[in-house]
Amino acid sequence: MNTSPSAGLIARDITVDYGRSTPALDAVSLTIETGVVTAIVGPNGSGKSTLLRTMGRLHTPQRGTVLLDGQDIFQRPTRDLARELGILPQSPVAPEGLTVVDLVSRGRDPHRRWFDQWARSDEAVVFAALERTGMTALATARVDDLSGGQRQRAWIALALAQETRTLLLDEPTTYLDIAHQLDVLDLVRTMHEEQGATVVMVLHDLSMAARYADRIVALRAGRIIADGTPADIITPPMLRDVFDIEATVIVDPNTGRPHVLPIRRTG
Amino acid sequence: MNAVGLLRARPRPAPVVLRRAVRMGPVSLVWRPRVLLVTMAAVLAAVLVAIVSLGVGDFSLSPAQVVSALLGHGTRQELLVVQTVRLPRILTGVAAGIALAIAGAIMQTTARNALASPDLLGVTAGASAGAVAVITLGGTASASGILREVGVPTAAMVGAIVATLAVIALTGRAGLSGIQPLLIGIGVSAFFAGAVNLFLIAAPIKDAARANVWLTGSLNQRSWPELWPIVLAVLVSVLILVPVNHRLQSLELGTDIARSTGLPLRSTGVLLIGVSVLLTAVAAASVGPLGFVALVAPHVARMACGMTRAPLLGAAAIGALVVVASDLLARTLFAPIQLPAGAVIAIIGGPFLVGLLIARKRRTAQ
């Protein structure tokens, strides 16, 4: 079912204008292939988060459409769509005192009816999501008592419990130390390898993006400037054009992926 | 079923119980013993207070006499006092408490703000303006008033509807999510509060005093005609809320997560705010602005149940208890003078709420 030409998540000519001098997104088109991990990178204010949020139907574009498997996501019933497309926004906040299991259980919402609030299958899926994120032992802990890394894993567990084939993550590693960044991104990689999940994430760290993504899309001022595999995209000219930095790119001896060594600002 | 998920197609059954549930065929409910316990305790307490309250007054009855009068046994006078005079008043209090507590619980969850209250939606202020207009311009003190023929509850309802329409028309433009409706409601409230002040200043002192009693919120002389609209509004609201109640949980995670997990924000927002407005309007029209109930009952329910938001059923039971108990105190503290129940709720409820919050803070700090 992944082979039909309209499969996947497709943004078509989307324009989002917040009323500033330049639009946040300027007629951007992007096809996210099924079963691929894509990273969206770009400097602050380049529109990368807006692109992700629009493709995740959290933001309605002024012009253009977003299609999932050929259907306009803004026309589909919210609940149906939520079984296929999940998006985890940047730094979500849980109410004070909420437990991890109550948080993760919300991921089952699109699969339930009001009279069927906690079926055995819901429990099984939430348990699997907790296991996968290493949160089982903390199931009854309060979200506000967790460390930043644990908290982020709890939110990702919510997204996993939603069982969508496509998952969008907006800066999933913000505020995390290097070990927890690896934790979260390894988790994304495992999900992809074991279930063939389609993942799109906004990342700030270029070397992390190069290490974990199959494809990198670079944005600047609301337009896509570069798009391709990490080896093709992460080059000194691209870094100059998109990020205004002069940098050396070396090959990471452990991963074989490009690694960015910044030298100085150029812009 | 979900053919391919991010997890396995068919996860193994969970080896541990994550949340307790009651399951029967296709029906399953999360089992929270503490919520049930709190709700039942509040209902029981409200019933006991109501029985005591039905016996208190010029014609005093023991609880046993009250119960037999309720069941239709007793002298004609006992039946008259309990069934005709006092029962509708108490039931109006119960219904108003339920309505306001549900409205308050919904507002606190949808706004994700502990200070949110349907009082701020402008509905109560609109009802007040309507009622005070009739009281001060209706002319019972002066011989001829321009609004003489209009009853106070009707005028309050009209005022509430006008304010509601204004809030809905304005929120339709500004967006229904988060705190927006409340900000608009505060503006609308300010407008009607100004109107109330104008009426009060222009009115003869006697009328202004009567208007002030109404503005405090009172169950005095409430009867069946004030009861039925609230009962109807509560029934309609319950029918609407039962299928959306569990979605309130995802709303408290913020609008992004709510939408991502499949909640239609716009229609749900309209529905929830609509229910809140309806309940507040009807309660305000019948008993005046007993608004503090809408703030205090959900907080008490939330803390008693140990949850992040007030369960609607628990809040409703506590709302009923708060109003009935306050009315009993209002009638007995300085008998034979009857205080307005609204004054008692505010005087006792305010410090009580603050005390609860401090006690909880201390416990969590340890």
Side-chain angles (χ1 to χ4, degrees):
Chain A
M1 64 183 283
N2 297 340
T3 50
S4 80
S6 60
L9 184 62
I10 301 170
R12 252 188 215 153
D13 293 321
I14 51 176
T15 296
V16 173
D17 195 341
Y18 293 125
R20 304 199 191 109
S21 53
T22 53
L25 289 178
D26 193 357
V28 170
S29 291
L30 179 64
T31 299
I32 300 296
E33 291 146 47
T34 305
V36 170
V37 176
T38 307
I40 302 178
V41 301
N44 290 336
S46 58
K48 54 190 188 306
S49 192
T50 303
L51 176 59
L52 191 86
R53 289 173 58 83
T54 307
M55 294 186 87
R57 51 83 168 76
L58 296 185
H59 201 100
T60 312
Q62 272 93 349
R63 277 193 301 282
T65 53
V66 178
L67 306 175
L68 180 66
D69 295 336
Q71 286 178 294
D72 186 342
I73 62 168
F74 295 100
Q75 303 294 326
R76 292 191 56 182
T78 320
R79 199 164 155 269
D80 291 354
L81 185 64
R83 285 184 226 133
E84 289 167 36
L85 178 67
I87 176 165
L88 190 59
Q90 201 180 339
S91 325
V93 181
E96 199 185 328
L98 194 74
T99 61
V100 170
V101 66
D102 281 339
L103 178 76
V104 177
S105 303
R106 299 276 68 75
R108 299 308 296 159
D109 278 356
H111 300 276
R112 315 181 302 184
R113 307 296 310 183
W114 61 270
F115 51 80
D116 188 16
Q117 294 184 19
W118 195 234
R120 281 182 213 289
S121 59
D122 292 326
E123 190 151 77
V125 171
V126 168
F127 182 78
L130 291 168
E131 283 280 280
R132 170 55 55 83
T133 49
M135 292 299 288
T136 316
L138 292 165
T140 53
R142 291 162 50 128
V143 177
D144 39 333
D145 288 341
L146 302 179
S147 72
Q150 293 168 334
R151 204 172 294 173
Q152 189 62 19
R153 279 187 286 155
W155 284 102
I156 290 176
L158 182 158
L160 291 189
Q162 207 172 325
E163 293 194 290
T164 57
R165 284 191 296 125
T166 306
L167 179 57
L168 314 185
L169 303 167
D170 195 356
E171 297 197 27
T173 53
T174 320
Y175 306 127
L176 299 187
D177 63 33
I178 187 77
H180 286 118
Q181 290 186 27
L182 293 179
D183 246 16
V184 165
L185 293 172
D186 281 337
L187 177 63
V188 168
R189 204 66 226 174
T190 316
M191 278 162 21
H192 164 71
E193 275 156 18
E194 287 181 8
Q195 276 88 41
T198 307
V199 181
V200 186
M201 49 188 175
V202 168
L203 286 178
H204 256 301
D205 188 317
L206 289 171
S207 297
M208 284 292 190
R211 176 169 168 175
Y212 285 98
D214 305 312
R215 174 188 179 194
I216 293 183
V217 176
L219 255 71
R220 181 178 173 134
R223 290 166 190 268
I224 294 175
I225 305 289
D227 181 353
T229 62
D232 290 343
I233 291 302
I234 305 291
T235 57
M238 186 285 275
L239 295 171
R240 194 175 51 240
D241 294 347
V242 175
F243 292 93
D244 292 331
I245 58 165
E246 193 183 326
T248 308
V249 176
I250 59 166
V251 174
D252 183 330
N254 295 315
T255 61
R257 301 284 183 115
H259 192 90
V260 177
L261 303 173
I263 300 169
R264 68 176 74 85
R265 262 196 88 119
T266 57
Chain B
M1 291 294 286
N2 332 296
V4 193
L6 285 180
L7 300 159
R8 270 170 222 99
R10 248 170 232 275
R12 284 168 292 133
V16 291
V17 175
L18 292 171
R19 299 205 296 181
R20 279 183 280 186
V22 183
R23 297 191 181 103
M24 263 169 49
V27 178
S28 67
L29 294 170
V30 177
W31 167 242
R32 296 183 194 274
R34 194 161 155 194
V35 175
L36 191 69
L37 201 72
V38 167
T39 308
M40 280 169 52
V43 169
L44 190 68
V47 169
L48 292 178
V49 172
I51 289 173
V52 172
S53 193
L54 284 167
V56 167
D58 290 339
F59 184 84
S60 157
L61 294 157
S62 71
Q65 285 172 306
V66 168
V67 172
S68 58
L70 283 175
L71 297 172
H73 308 294
T75 65
R76 270 180 72 186
Q77 197 178 14
E78 284 171 6
L79 291 179
L80 176 79
V81 166
V82 170
Q83 293 189 351
T84 314
V85 179
R86 290 179 193 160
L87 188 61
R89 171 204 181 111
I90 305 289
L91 288 180
T92 304
V94 168
I98 290 173
L100 289 167
I102 292 177
I106 292 175
M107 288 311 301
Q108 283 174 15
T109 308
T110 53
R112 296 183 88 195
N113 191 315
L115 291 176
S117 151
D119 271 352
L120 302 176
L121 277 175
V123 184
T124 318
S128 301
V132 172
V134 168
I135 294 169
T136 56
L137 306 175
T140 35
S142 56
S144 62
I146 48 171
L147 294 175
R148 185 174 202 161
E149 303 303 321
V150 188
V152 172
T154 313
M157 196 66 216
V158 171
I161 289 170
V162 170
T164 304
L165 292 178
V167 172
I168 287 175
L170 292 167
T171 40
R173 287 166 190 276
L176 287 152
S177 56
I179 203 141
Q180 289 291 353
L182 289 177
L183 292 176
I184 287 162
I186 287 171
V188 173
S189 292
F191 173 82
F192 283 108
V196 166
N197 281 334
L198 281 184
F199 289 134
L200 287 179
I201 289 165
I205 191 76
K206 252 187 169 168
D207 290 342
R210 283 200 307 131
N212 247 325
V213 171
W214 191 92
L215 285 173
T216 318
S218 167
L219 296 176
N220 293 346
Q221 288 155 14
R222 295 301 186 271
S223 185
W224 301 108
E226 280 93 19
L227 172 63
W228 297 128
I230 315 190
V231 171
L232 191 67
V234 169
L235 288 179
V236 169
S237 303
V238 167
L239 284 180
I240 294 175
L241 289 172
V242 162
V244 295
N245 182 24
H246 73 288
R247 305 314 305 269
L248 284 171
Q249 295 171 318
S250 65
L251 260 184
E252 72 175 346
L253 300 181
T255 48
D256 281 353
I257 296 285
R259 182 173 275 162
S260 174
T261 55
L263 187 72
L265 278 185
R266 201 170 183 73
S267 55
T268 312
V270 171
L271 204 67
L272 290 174
I273 291 184
V275 166
S276 236
V277 163
L278 170 74
L279 290 171
T280 315
V282 176
S286 301
V287 299
L290 280 181
F292 198 63
V293 180
L295 192 64
V296 80
H299 275 295
V300 173
R302 176 174 60 82
M303 287 185 265
C305 297
M307 285 174 66
T308 51
R309 76 199 157 83
L312 295 187
L313 213 57
I318 287 172
L321 173 63
V322 168
V323 174
V324 175
S326 302
D327 182 53
L328 176 61
L329 289 176
R331 288 162 56 209
T332 51
L333 277 181
F334 298 102
I337 297 171
Q338 297 202 345
L339 302 175
V344 175
I345 292 174
I347 288 173
I348 296 177
F352 180 70
L353 177 62
V354 173
L356 259 184
L357 289 168
I358 292 172
R360 203 174 87 105
K361 198 90 198 161
R362 223 174 261 150
R363 217 176 316 133
T364 51
Q366 274 168 6

